Amino acid sequence: MILAQAQPGFLSPTGVEIAFLLVGLVTFGAALVTVTTRQLVHAALWLVVTLGGLAVEYLLLTAEFIAWVQVLIYVGSVVVLLLFGLMLTRAPIGRSPDADSGNRWAALTVAVAAAAALVWVVVDAFRTTWIDLDGPAAGSTKVTGESLFQNWVLPFEALSVLLLAALVGAIVLSRKAKAESSSPPVNARSVTGSSRNVTESSDQEGAR
């Protein structure tokens, strides 16, 4: 008689599962700080912590390749691009009142609805799927590359175009701000011209 293999339960978590939960809580907290802070630079830096926490989660799920891609692309490229755009647009370093649009409740409602839908889809899709955390790595480069460039190539290219558009927009805004700061305002020109005329007329009267 062959005994059925016992399924792991939630009441007997392993060390890896406890570490996964703790890192998830830290990542969730960093994500909350990212979307609630009014300092744009601090938001970008907390985004680094959030994306780094996701990379650690991938490592705990034995998906080493996805973890390093997360670090190289998102932490090493996307966040650097965001900081580069903030520097080009001369974003304020301190607190910025313009960072709050006043639609927090609407944004919170959309975020909660999106999170609930995502959790429901993931739980429904992987309800009976278990990952052997003590076994060999499941996220190999070959399998991940085939899935990425066969099934997810369109979103991948769309994200590349989106990042390129963001960089071009930051450059355009920075050049426009530089042009406006270099040219004197119209009122200053009129005041300068009038003062010059007054000076010339006073010199002519003095010569007479």
Side-chain angles (χ1 to χ4, degrees):
M1 181 178 180
I2 300 177
L3 296 177
Q5 185 178 2
Q7 294 289 345
F10 293 102
L11 298 180
S12 58
T14 62
V16 177
E17 293 174 348
I18 295 175
F20 185 87
L21 178 60
L22 294 178
V23 174
L25 292 177
V26 173
T27 305
F28 180 73
L32 285 180
V33 177
T34 302
V35 298
T36 55
T37 182
R38 293 189 179 182
Q39 299 188 11
L40 298 179
V41 178
H42 288 181
L45 295 178
W46 278 109
L47 183 61
V48 174
V49 179
T50 304
L51 298 176
L54 291 178
V56 175
E57 299 282 53
Y58 287 133
L59 281 176
L60 295 175
L61 291 175
T62 69
E64 285 83 0
F65 177 73
I66 302 296
W68 290 118
V69 167
Q70 174 83 11
V71 173
L72 292 176
I73 295 180
Y74 286 95
V75 179
S77 298
V78 175
V79 176
V80 171
L81 180 62
L82 291 176
L83 292 174
F84 187 63
L86 291 177
M87 289 186 294
L88 283 178
T89 54
R90 297 178 181 179
I93 302 298
R95 295 177 63 87
S96 177
D98 298 335
D100 190 4
S101 63
N103 299 322
R104 286 193 173 186
W105 290 109
L108 181 61
T109 303
V110 173
V112 170
L118 181 61
V119 170
W120 181 79
V121 169
V122 171
V123 171
D124 185 69
F126 301 98
R127 185 183 301 275
T128 58
T129 302
W130 296 91
I131 299 176
D132 187 9
L133 299 178
D134 297 327
S140 62
T141 307
K142 180 180 179 181
V143 176
T144 305
E146 291 177 353
S147 177
L148 178 62
F149 291 103
Q150 288 180 1
N151 303 325
W152 301 96
V153 62
L154 183 60
F156 185 78
E157 295 298 331
L159 179 61
S160 303
V161 174
L162 179 62
L163 294 176
L164 180 61
L167 180 59
V168 173
I171 294 175
V172 171
L173 290 176
S174 65
R175 291 177 63 88
K176 182 179 179 181
K178 183 178 180 181
E180 291 178 354
S181 61
S182 60
S183 60
V186 179
N187 295 330
R189 293 178 180 176
S190 60
V191 171
T192 304
S194 60
S195 61
R196 184 180 301 173
N197 295 331
V198 171
T199 304
E200 291 177 356
S201 60
S202 62
D203 292 340
Q204 291 177 0
E205 291 179 358
R208 291 177 184 178

mmCIF file of all heavy atoms in Angstrom, residues 64-111:
data_model
loop_
_atom_site.group_PDB
_atom_site.id
_atom_site.type_symbol
_atom_site.label_atom_id
_atom_site.label_comp_id
_atom_site.label_asym_id
_atom_site.label_seq_id
_atom_site.Cartn_x
_atom_site.Cartn_y
_atom_site.Cartn_z
ATOM 1 N N GLU A 64 16.368 32.234 -8.955
ATOM 2 C CA GLU A 64 17.547 33.092 -8.886
ATOM 3 C C GLU A 64 17.667 34.004 -10.097
ATOM 4 O O GLU A 64 18.045 35.166 -9.981
ATOM 5 C CB GLU A 64 18.808 32.238 -8.741
ATOM 6 C CG GLU A 64 19.012 31.642 -7.369
ATOM 7 C CD GLU A 64 18.232 30.355 -7.181
ATOM 8 O OE1 GLU A 64 17.546 29.960 -8.145
ATOM 9 O OE2 GLU A 64 18.293 29.756 -6.090
ATOM 10 N N PHE A 65 17.335 33.472 -11.274
ATOM 11 C CA PHE A 65 17.478 34.287 -12.485
ATOM 12 C C PHE A 65 16.527 35.485 -12.459
ATOM 13 O O PHE A 65 16.922 36.612 -12.776
ATOM 14 C CB PHE A 65 17.204 33.421 -13.721
ATOM 15 C CG PHE A 65 17.250 34.187 -15.008
ATOM 16 C CD1 PHE A 65 18.456 34.624 -15.536
ATOM 17 C CD2 PHE A 65 16.079 34.482 -15.695
ATOM 18 C CE1 PHE A 65 18.491 35.344 -16.711
ATOM 19 C CE2 PHE A 65 16.115 35.194 -16.877
ATOM 20 C CZ PHE A 65 17.319 35.620 -17.392
ATOM 21 N N ILE A 66 15.270 35.254 -12.057
ATOM 22 C CA ILE A 66 14.311 36.352 -11.963
ATOM 23 C C ILE A 66 14.750 37.362 -10.906
ATOM 24 O O ILE A 66 14.564 38.582 -11.074
ATOM 25 C CB ILE A 66 12.910 35.804 -11.639
ATOM 26 C CG1 ILE A 66 12.466 34.809 -12.700
ATOM 27 C CG2 ILE A 66 11.900 36.931 -11.528
ATOM 28 C CD1 ILE A 66 12.314 35.417 -14.062
ATOM 29 N N ALA A 67 15.354 36.887 -9.830
ATOM 30 C CA ALA A 67 15.818 37.799 -8.779
ATOM 31 C C ALA A 67 16.907 38.728 -9.300
ATOM 32 O O ALA A 67 16.872 39.943 -9.056
ATOM 33 C CB ALA A 67 16.317 36.996 -7.582
ATOM 34 N N TRP A 68 17.873 38.173 -10.024
ATOM 35 C CA TRP A 68 18.947 39.023 -10.539
ATOM 36 C C TRP A 68 18.467 39.937 -11.646
ATOM 37 O O TRP A 68 18.956 41.062 -11.791
ATOM 38 C CB TRP A 68 20.108 38.155 -11.024
ATOM 39 C CG TRP A 68 20.832 37.489 -9.910
ATOM 40 C CD1 TRP A 68 20.964 36.156 -9.693
ATOM 41 C CD2 TRP A 68 21.510 38.129 -8.818
ATOM 42 N NE1 TRP A 68 21.672 35.920 -8.538
ATOM 43 C CE2 TRP A 68 22.023 37.110 -7.985
ATOM 44 C CE3 TRP A 68 21.719 39.462 -8.463
ATOM 45 C CZ2 TRP A 68 22.739 37.387 -6.828
ATOM 46 C CZ3 TRP A 68 22.437 39.737 -7.313
ATOM 47 C CH2 TRP A 68 22.932 38.702 -6.516
ATOM 48 N N VAL A 69 17.503 39.484 -12.446
ATOM 49 C CA VAL A 69 16.906 40.374 -13.444
ATOM 50 C C VAL A 69 16.181 41.520 -12.762
ATOM 51 O O VAL A 69 16.224 42.675 -13.212
ATOM 52 C CB VAL A 69 15.957 39.568 -14.357
ATOM 53 C CG1 VAL A 69 15.093 40.512 -15.197
ATOM 54 C CG2 VAL A 69 16.747 38.655 -15.266
ATOM 55 N N GLN A 70 15.504 41.228 -11.650
ATOM 56 C CA GLN A 70 14.835 42.269 -10.870
ATOM 57 C C GLN A 70 15.837 43.320 -10.392
ATOM 58 O O GLN A 70 15.567 44.527 -10.462
ATOM 59 C CB GLN A 70 14.125 41.636 -9.668
ATOM 60 C CG GLN A 70 13.507 42.598 -8.702
ATOM 61 C CD GLN A 70 12.132 43.063 -9.135
ATOM 62 O OE1 GLN A 70 11.567 42.515 -10.063
ATOM 63 N NE2 GLN A 70 11.610 44.057 -8.466
ATOM 64 N N VAL A 71 16.994 42.870 -9.918
ATOM 65 C CA VAL A 71 18.006 43.805 -9.419
ATOM 66 C C VAL A 71 18.621 44.605 -10.565
ATOM 67 O O VAL A 71 18.760 45.836 -10.486
ATOM 68 C CB VAL A 71 19.094 43.044 -8.641
ATOM 69 C CG1 VAL A 71 20.245 43.968 -8.270
ATOM 70 C CG2 VAL A 71 18.500 42.414 -7.389
ATOM 71 N N LEU A 72 18.968 43.930 -11.651
ATOM 72 C CA LEU A 72 19.677 44.596 -12.746
ATOM 73 C C LEU A 72 18.774 45.569 -13.504
ATOM 74 O O LEU A 72 19.186 46.692 -13.820
ATOM 75 C CB LEU A 72 20.251 43.561 -13.709
ATOM 76 C CG LEU A 72 21.381 42.688 -13.163
ATOM 77 C CD1 LEU A 72 21.785 41.635 -14.177
ATOM 78 C CD2 LEU A 72 22.584 43.543 -12.789
ATOM 79 N N ILE A 73 17.541 45.147 -13.797
ATOM 80 C CA ILE A 73 16.666 45.963 -14.636
ATOM 81 C C ILE A 73 15.928 47.014 -13.818
ATOM 82 O O ILE A 73 15.983 48.208 -14.110
ATOM 83 C CB ILE A 73 15.680 45.073 -15.410
ATOM 84 C CG1 ILE A 73 16.445 44.187 -16.403
ATOM 85 C CG2 ILE A 73 14.651 45.919 -16.147
ATOM 86 C CD1 ILE A 73 15.563 43.281 -17.215
ATOM 87 N N TYR A 74 15.256 46.580 -12.757
ATOM 88 C CA TYR A 74 14.409 47.517 -12.023
ATOM 89 C C TYR A 74 15.225 48.384 -11.076
ATOM 90 O O TYR A 74 15.132 49.613 -11.107
ATOM 91 C CB TYR A 74 13.317 46.756 -11.268
ATOM 92 C CG TYR A 74 12.237 46.239 -12.175
ATOM 93 C CD1 TYR A 74 12.277 44.946 -12.665
ATOM 94 C CD2 TYR A 74 11.180 47.060 -12.555
ATOM 95 C CE1 TYR A 74 11.287 44.477 -13.516
ATOM 96 C CE2 TYR A 74 10.188 46.600 -13.399
ATOM 97 C CZ TYR A 74 10.246 45.303 -13.879
ATOM 98 O OH TYR A 74 9.283 44.841 -14.719
ATOM 99 N N VAL A 75 16.006 47.758 -10.213
ATOM 100 C CA VAL A 75 16.794 48.541 -9.252
ATOM 101 C C VAL A 75 17.922 49.289 -9.960
ATOM 102 O O VAL A 75 18.196 50.467 -9.677
ATOM 103 C CB VAL A 75 17.352 47.631 -8.148
ATOM 104 C CG1 VAL A 75 18.196 48.424 -7.167
ATOM 105 C CG2 VAL A 75 16.206 46.935 -7.414
ATOM 106 N N GLY A 76 18.587 48.632 -10.913
ATOM 107 C CA GLY A 76 19.744 49.246 -11.551
ATOM 108 C C GLY A 76 19.435 50.142 -12.728
ATOM 109 O O GLY A 76 20.270 50.952 -13.115
ATOM 110 N N SER A 77 18.251 50.010 -13.328
ATOM 111 C CA SER A 77 17.940 50.794 -14.530
ATOM 112 C C SER A 77 16.728 51.693 -14.334
ATOM 113 O O SER A 77 16.796 52.900 -14.568
ATOM 114 C CB SER A 77 17.692 49.846 -15.719
ATOM 115 O OG SER A 77 18.841 49.085 -16.003
ATOM 116 N N VAL A 78 15.615 51.115 -13.897
ATOM 117 C CA VAL A 78 14.382 51.900 -13.794
ATOM 118 C C VAL A 78 14.512 52.986 -12.737
ATOM 119 O O VAL A 78 14.169 54.155 -12.968
ATOM 120 C CB VAL A 78 13.186 50.974 -13.507
ATOM 121 C CG1 VAL A 78 11.930 51.791 -13.273
ATOM 122 C CG2 VAL A 78 12.979 50.001 -14.642
ATOM 123 N N VAL A 79 15.029 52.625 -11.562
ATOM 124 C CA VAL A 79 15.153 53.628 -10.492
ATOM 125 C C VAL A 79 16.189 54.682 -10.863
ATOM 126 O O VAL A 79 15.993 55.880 -10.593
ATOM 127 C CB VAL A 79 15.509 52.940 -9.164
ATOM 128 C CG1 VAL A 79 15.726 53.976 -8.073
ATOM 129 C CG2 VAL A 79 14.406 51.976 -8.761
ATOM 130 N N VAL A 80 17.273 54.276 -11.501
ATOM 131 C CA VAL A 80 18.265 55.256 -11.958
ATOM 132 C C VAL A 80 17.648 56.193 -12.993
ATOM 133 O O VAL A 80 17.911 57.408 -12.996
ATOM 134 C CB VAL A 80 19.495 54.525 -12.523
ATOM 135 C CG1 VAL A 80 20.443 55.510 -13.196
ATOM 136 C CG2 VAL A 80 20.225 53.782 -11.417
ATOM 137 N N LEU A 81 16.804 55.644 -13.865
ATOM 138 C CA LEU A 81 16.116 56.490 -14.842
ATOM 139 C C LEU A 81 15.182 57.479 -14.160
ATOM 140 O O LEU A 81 15.100 58.654 -14.550
ATOM 141 C CB LEU A 81 15.335 55.600 -15.821
ATOM 142 C CG LEU A 81 14.555 56.326 -16.914
ATOM 143 C CD1 LEU A 81 15.493 57.114 -17.807
ATOM 144 C CD2 LEU A 81 13.760 55.330 -17.744
ATOM 145 N N LEU A 82 14.468 57.036 -13.121
ATOM 146 C CA LEU A 82 13.597 57.943 -12.375
ATOM 147 C C LEU A 82 14.391 59.064 -11.705
ATOM 148 O O LEU A 82 14.008 60.239 -11.756
ATOM 149 C CB LEU A 82 12.797 57.158 -11.341
ATOM 150 C CG LEU A 82 11.727 56.207 -11.882
ATOM 151 C CD1 LEU A 82 11.093 55.430 -10.734
ATOM 152 C CD2 LEU A 82 10.665 56.969 -12.651
ATOM 153 N N LEU A 83 15.491 58.698 -11.056
ATOM 154 C CA LEU A 83 16.325 59.724 -10.410
ATOM 155 C C LEU A 83 16.927 60.677 -11.443
ATOM 156 O O LEU A 83 17.046 61.882 -11.200
ATOM 157 C CB LEU A 83 17.431 59.047 -9.604
ATOM 158 C CG LEU A 83 16.976 58.257 -8.368
ATOM 159 C CD1 LEU A 83 18.152 57.523 -7.739
ATOM 160 C CD2 LEU A 83 16.331 59.183 -7.352
ATOM 161 N N PHE A 84 17.298 60.143 -12.595
ATOM 162 C CA PHE A 84 17.835 60.979 -13.665
ATOM 163 C C PHE A 84 16.780 61.964 -14.151
ATOM 164 O O PHE A 84 17.060 63.149 -14.384
ATOM 165 C CB PHE A 84 18.317 60.088 -14.808
ATOM 166 C CG PHE A 84 19.040 60.826 -15.892
ATOM 167 C CD1 PHE A 84 20.227 61.484 -15.637
ATOM 168 C CD2 PHE A 84 18.528 60.858 -17.181
ATOM 169 C CE1 PHE A 84 20.896 62.165 -16.641
ATOM 170 C CE2 PHE A 84 19.187 61.529 -18.193
ATOM 171 C CZ PHE A 84 20.376 62.189 -17.920
ATOM 172 N N GLY A 85 15.526 61.486 -14.285
ATOM 173 C CA GLY A 85 14.448 62.375 -14.684
ATOM 174 C C GLY A 85 14.155 63.436 -13.635
ATOM 175 O O GLY A 85 13.868 64.592 -13.969
ATOM 176 N N LEU A 86 14.231 63.060 -12.342
ATOM 177 C CA LEU A 86 14.026 64.046 -11.278
ATOM 178 C C LEU A 86 15.101 65.120 -11.299
ATOM 179 O O LEU A 86 14.821 66.310 -11.089
ATOM 180 C CB LEU A 86 14.011 63.342 -9.919
ATOM 181 C CG LEU A 86 12.814 62.432 -9.629
ATOM 182 C CD1 LEU A 86 12.984 61.752 -8.287
ATOM 183 C CD2 LEU A 86 11.516 63.217 -9.667
ATOM 184 N N MET A 87 16.341 64.732 -11.575
ATOM 185 C CA MET A 87 17.411 65.720 -11.631
ATOM 186 C C MET A 87 17.268 66.628 -12.843
ATOM 187 O O MET A 87 17.540 67.830 -12.768
ATOM 188 C CB MET A 87 18.768 65.008 -11.645
ATOM 189 C CG MET A 87 19.148 64.360 -10.327
ATOM 190 S SD MET A 87 20.822 63.684 -10.319
ATOM 191 C CE MET A 87 20.658 62.379 -11.523
ATOM 192 N N LEU A 88 16.848 66.061 -13.975
ATOM 193 C CA LEU A 88 16.704 66.880 -15.176
ATOM 194 C C LEU A 88 15.570 67.892 -15.029
ATOM 195 O O LEU A 88 15.667 69.024 -15.522
ATOM 196 C CB LEU A 88 16.443 65.980 -16.386
ATOM 197 C CG LEU A 88 17.653 65.244 -16.966
ATOM 198 C CD1 LEU A 88 17.225 64.352 -18.112
ATOM 199 C CD2 LEU A 88 18.725 66.219 -17.438
ATOM 200 N N THR A 89 14.498 67.486 -14.383
ATOM 201 C CA THR A 89 13.362 68.393 -14.193
ATOM 202 C C THR A 89 13.504 69.274 -12.955
ATOM 203 O O THR A 89 12.574 70.006 -12.620
ATOM 204 C CB THR A 89 12.059 67.581 -14.082
ATOM 205 O OG1 THR A 89 12.197 66.594 -13.046
ATOM 206 C CG2 THR A 89 11.756 66.871 -15.381
ATOM 207 N N ARG A 90 14.636 69.176 -12.270
ATOM 208 C CA ARG A 90 14.917 69.998 -11.091
ATOM 209 C C ARG A 90 13.825 69.852 -10.040
ATOM 210 O O ARG A 90 13.244 70.835 -9.560
ATOM 211 C CB ARG A 90 15.083 71.466 -11.481
ATOM 212 C CG ARG A 90 16.269 71.723 -12.403
ATOM 213 C CD ARG A 90 16.366 73.185 -12.790
ATOM 214 N NE ARG A 90 17.494 73.417 -13.686
ATOM 215 C CZ ARG A 90 17.804 74.608 -14.195
ATOM 216 N NH1 ARG A 90 17.059 75.665 -13.879
ATOM 217 N NH2 ARG A 90 18.828 74.735 -15.005
ATOM 218 N N ALA A 91 13.523 68.622 -9.709
ATOM 219 C CA ALA A 91 12.505 68.352 -8.690
ATOM 220 C C ALA A 91 13.015 68.810 -7.328
ATOM 221 O O ALA A 91 14.212 68.739 -7.033
ATOM 222 C CB ALA A 91 12.188 66.860 -8.649
ATOM 223 N N PRO A 92 12.119 69.304 -6.477
ATOM 224 C CA PRO A 92 12.554 69.765 -5.150
ATOM 225 C C PRO A 92 13.040 68.608 -4.293
ATOM 226 O O PRO A 92 12.477 67.515 -4.327
ATOM 227 C CB PRO A 92 11.288 70.410 -4.573
ATOM 228 C CG PRO A 92 10.163 69.760 -5.304
ATOM 229 C CD PRO A 92 10.668 69.491 -6.685
ATOM 230 N N ILE A 93 14.085 68.885 -3.499
ATOM 231 C CA ILE A 93 14.642 67.859 -2.626
ATOM 232 C C ILE A 93 13.779 67.670 -1.387
ATOM 233 O O ILE A 93 13.590 66.566 -0.893
ATOM 234 C CB ILE A 93 16.088 68.213 -2.243
ATOM 235 C CG1 ILE A 93 16.940 68.365 -3.505
ATOM 236 C CG2 ILE A 93 16.686 67.146 -1.335
ATOM 237 C CD1 ILE A 93 17.041 67.114 -4.343
ATOM 238 N N GLY A 94 13.238 68.749 -0.853
ATOM 239 C CA GLY A 94 12.437 68.677 0.372
ATOM 240 C C GLY A 94 10.995 68.300 0.091
ATOM 241 O O GLY A 94 10.666 67.696 -0.938
ATOM 242 N N ARG A 95 10.121 68.693 1.024
ATOM 243 C CA ARG A 95 8.704 68.381 0.891
ATOM 244 C C ARG A 95 8.092 69.195 -0.241
ATOM 245 O O ARG A 95 8.360 70.386 -0.378
ATOM 246 C CB ARG A 95 7.977 68.673 2.204
ATOM 247 C CG ARG A 95 8.418 67.795 3.347
ATOM 248 C CD ARG A 95 7.705 68.191 4.633
ATOM 249 N NE ARG A 95 6.271 68.002 4.517
ATOM 250 C CZ ARG A 95 5.647 66.869 4.778
ATOM 251 N NH1 ARG A 95 6.350 65.808 5.152
ATOM 252 N NH2 ARG A 95 4.342 66.767 4.681
ATOM 253 N N SER A 96 7.281 68.547 -1.038
ATOM 254 C CA SER A 96 6.662 69.195 -2.177
ATOM 255 C C SER A 96 5.143 69.120 -2.023
ATOM 256 O O SER A 96 4.563 68.029 -2.086
ATOM 257 C CB SER A 96 7.092 68.511 -3.487
ATOM 258 O OG SER A 96 6.437 69.085 -4.591
ATOM 259 N N PRO A 97 4.471 70.248 -1.820
ATOM 260 C CA PRO A 97 3.005 70.203 -1.699
ATOM 261 C C PRO A 97 2.320 69.810 -2.998
ATOM 262 O O PRO A 97 1.175 69.362 -2.992
ATOM 263 C CB PRO A 97 2.645 71.638 -1.284
ATOM 264 C CG PRO A 97 3.792 72.465 -1.751
ATOM 265 C CD PRO A 97 5.009 71.607 -1.645
ATOM 266 N N ASP A 98 3.002 69.985 -4.131
ATOM 267 C CA ASP A 98 2.404 69.611 -5.411
ATOM 268 C C ASP A 98 2.336 68.105 -5.612
ATOM 269 O O ASP A 98 1.683 67.641 -6.542
ATOM 270 C CB ASP A 98 3.195 70.234 -6.561
ATOM 271 C CG ASP A 98 3.175 71.761 -6.503
ATOM 272 O OD1 ASP A 98 2.212 72.296 -5.917
ATOM 273 O OD2 ASP A 98 4.102 72.395 -7.025
ATOM 274 N N ALA A 99 3.043 67.328 -4.765
ATOM 275 C CA ALA A 99 3.028 65.878 -4.929
ATOM 276 C C ALA A 99 1.711 65.249 -4.494
ATOM 277 O O ALA A 99 1.451 64.088 -4.800
ATOM 278 C CB ALA A 99 4.182 65.245 -4.141
ATOM 279 N N ASP A 100 0.885 65.996 -3.776
ATOM 280 C CA ASP A 100 -0.407 65.491 -3.322
ATOM 281 C C ASP A 100 -1.490 66.083 -4.216
ATOM 282 O O ASP A 100 -1.716 67.291 -4.222
ATOM 283 C CB ASP A 100 -0.645 65.887 -1.865
ATOM 284 C CG ASP A 100 -1.864 65.188 -1.289
ATOM 285 O OD1 ASP A 100 -2.455 64.352 -2.001
ATOM 286 O OD2 ASP A 100 -2.222 65.478 -0.132
ATOM 287 N N SER A 101 -2.169 65.219 -4.973
ATOM 288 C CA SER A 101 -3.200 65.682 -5.899
ATOM 289 C C SER A 101 -4.553 65.870 -5.234
ATOM 290 O O SER A 101 -5.476 66.391 -5.847
ATOM 291 C CB SER A 101 -3.346 64.704 -7.062
ATOM 292 O OG SER A 101 -3.772 63.443 -6.581
ATOM 293 N N GLY A 102 -4.724 65.410 -4.003
ATOM 294 C CA GLY A 102 -6.007 65.527 -3.346
ATOM 295 C C GLY A 102 -6.977 64.403 -3.639
ATOM 296 O O GLY A 102 -8.121 64.425 -3.179
ATOM 297 N N ASN A 103 -6.565 63.421 -4.417
ATOM 298 C CA ASN A 103 -7.429 62.287 -4.767
ATOM 299 C C ASN A 103 -6.964 61.011 -4.070
ATOM 300 O O ASN A 103 -6.911 59.940 -4.677
ATOM 301 C CB ASN A 103 -7.443 62.083 -6.283
ATOM 302 C CG ASN A 103 -7.987 63.282 -7.020
ATOM 303 O OD1 ASN A 103 -8.926 63.912 -6.550
ATOM 304 N ND2 ASN A 103 -7.410 63.599 -8.162
ATOM 305 N N ARG A 104 -6.604 61.132 -2.808
ATOM 306 C CA ARG A 104 -6.065 59.971 -2.102
ATOM 307 C C ARG A 104 -7.091 58.864 -1.938
ATOM 308 O O ARG A 104 -6.773 57.682 -2.075
ATOM 309 C CB ARG A 104 -5.531 60.397 -0.738
ATOM 310 C CG ARG A 104 -4.213 61.151 -0.808
ATOM 311 C CD ARG A 104 -3.586 61.275 0.567
ATOM 312 N NE ARG A 104 -2.265 61.840 0.507
ATOM 313 C CZ ARG A 104 -1.457 61.942 1.562
ATOM 314 N NH1 ARG A 104 -1.876 61.526 2.744
ATOM 315 N NH2 ARG A 104 -0.254 62.455 1.435
ATOM 316 N N TRP A 105 -8.343 59.243 -1.646
ATOM 317 C CA TRP A 105 -9.346 58.214 -1.419
ATOM 318 C C TRP A 105 -9.677 57.469 -2.707
ATOM 319 O O TRP A 105 -9.879 56.248 -2.691
ATOM 320 C CB TRP A 105 -10.609 58.840 -0.817
ATOM 321 C CG TRP A 105 -10.416 59.304 0.591
ATOM 322 C CD1 TRP A 105 -10.348 60.580 1.032
ATOM 323 C CD2 TRP A 105 -10.233 58.470 1.743
ATOM 324 N NE1 TRP A 105 -10.136 60.612 2.394
ATOM 325 C CE2 TRP A 105 -10.062 59.332 2.863
ATOM 326 C CE3 TRP A 105 -10.195 57.084 1.940
ATOM 327 C CZ2 TRP A 105 -9.866 58.845 4.149
ATOM 328 C CZ3 TRP A 105 -10.004 56.609 3.224
ATOM 329 C CH2 TRP A 105 -9.842 57.484 4.309
ATOM 330 N N ALA A 106 -9.722 58.195 -3.806
ATOM 331 C CA ALA A 106 -9.959 57.519 -5.086
ATOM 332 C C ALA A 106 -8.801 56.599 -5.441
ATOM 333 O O ALA A 106 -9.006 55.462 -5.887
ATOM 334 C CB ALA A 106 -10.171 58.560 -6.190
ATOM 335 N N ALA A 107 -7.566 57.086 -5.216
ATOM 336 C CA ALA A 107 -6.404 56.246 -5.498
ATOM 337 C C ALA A 107 -6.353 55.035 -4.579
ATOM 338 O O ALA A 107 -6.009 53.925 -5.007
ATOM 339 C CB ALA A 107 -5.124 57.074 -5.347
ATOM 340 N N LEU A 108 -6.740 55.235 -3.305
ATOM 341 C CA LEU A 108 -6.755 54.114 -2.369
ATOM 342 C C LEU A 108 -7.804 53.077 -2.764
ATOM 343 O O LEU A 108 -7.560 51.864 -2.682
ATOM 344 C CB LEU A 108 -7.025 54.625 -0.956
ATOM 345 C CG LEU A 108 -7.056 53.581 0.161
ATOM 346 C CD1 LEU A 108 -5.715 52.874 0.267
ATOM 347 C CD2 LEU A 108 -7.426 54.228 1.491
ATOM 348 N N THR A 109 -8.946 53.534 -3.219
ATOM 349 C CA THR A 109 -9.995 52.606 -3.655
ATOM 350 C C THR A 109 -9.547 51.781 -4.858
ATOM 351 O O THR A 109 -9.727 50.552 -4.902
ATOM 352 C CB THR A 109 -11.269 53.385 -4.004
ATOM 353 O OG1 THR A 109 -11.681 54.155 -2.874
ATOM 354 C CG2 THR A 109 -12.384 52.443 -4.413
ATOM 355 N N VAL A 110 -8.926 52.448 -5.824
ATOM 356 C CA VAL A 110 -8.434 51.734 -7.007
ATOM 357 C C VAL A 110 -7.332 50.759 -6.627
ATOM 358 O O VAL A 110 -7.274 49.623 -7.131
ATOM 359 C CB VAL A 110 -7.949 52.743 -8.064
ATOM 360 C CG1 VAL A 110 -7.285 52.023 -9.231
ATOM 361 C CG2 VAL A 110 -9.107 53.589 -8.563
ATOM 362 N N ALA A 111 -6.430 51.173 -5.720
ATOM 363 C CA ALA A 111 -5.334 50.294 -5.314
ATOM 364 C C ALA A 111 -5.843 49.060 -4.587
ATOM 365 O O ALA A 111 -5.387 47.937 -4.836
ATOM 366 C CB ALA A 111 -4.354 51.069 -4.435
#
